[in-house]
Amino acid sequence: MLPLISYILKVVLVYEQTLVEKLLRSPTFHHGVRKIHRTVEELRHGRNPDEPLRQGEATEDPDKPKGGFIRYFVEELKNQARGTPTDPPPPPPRGPPANK
């Protein structure tokens, strides 16, 4: 029984090492890490004034609340839980039904 567990553990470790190597070679992973690092640095130290504006920043509405999709999604879930839809459907037309 012990050699079987030892063999399974070795296979798992080799597979883990392969996955980590693929992850570290991935440009998508490094792009994500760069983005997270930049966000953390901006929160800690403020925006670097020497850095050029990012895409969409010059035309961005400064009064628009930040948070994007996640904040909107959470707000929609809260509204649904309360039973108050954000955009209620229009009321039905009043008057006699139209005959064709």
Side-chain angles (χ1 to χ4, degrees):
M1 184 72 175
L2 189 61
L4 178 63
I5 293 175
S6 176
Y7 178 74
I8 291 173
L9 184 62
K10 286 179 183 179
V11 169
V12 168
L13 290 176
V14 169
Y15 189 62
E16 176 190 16
Q17 186 176 6
T18 305
L19 286 175
V20 170
E21 287 175 2
K22 285 184 178 183
L23 182 66
L24 291 176
R25 282 192 219 125
S26 167
T28 305
F29 172 74
H30 288 287
H31 176 74
V33 169
R34 246 182 260 116
K35 189 172 181 180
I36 292 170
H37 179 264
R38 180 180 33 192
T39 303
V40 169
E41 288 296 309
E42 284 181 6
L43 289 174
R44 290 178 69 199
H45 305 293
R47 178 73 190 265
N48 182 0
D50 298 330
E51 194 174 282
L53 292 176
R54 289 187 214 109
Q55 182 178 2
E57 273 188 327
T59 58
E60 187 177 55
D61 182 12
D63 298 331
K64 180 181 172 188
K66 303 287 183 195
F69 175 77
I70 299 296
R71 181 170 288 166
Y72 175 75
F73 184 71
V74 169
E75 188 64 32
E76 285 296 319
L77 289 177
K78 287 179 183 177
N79 286 343
Q80 287 182 10
R82 288 185 212 121
T84 57
T86 304
D87 297 326
R94 298 198 176 225
N99 292 333
K100 292 187 179 190

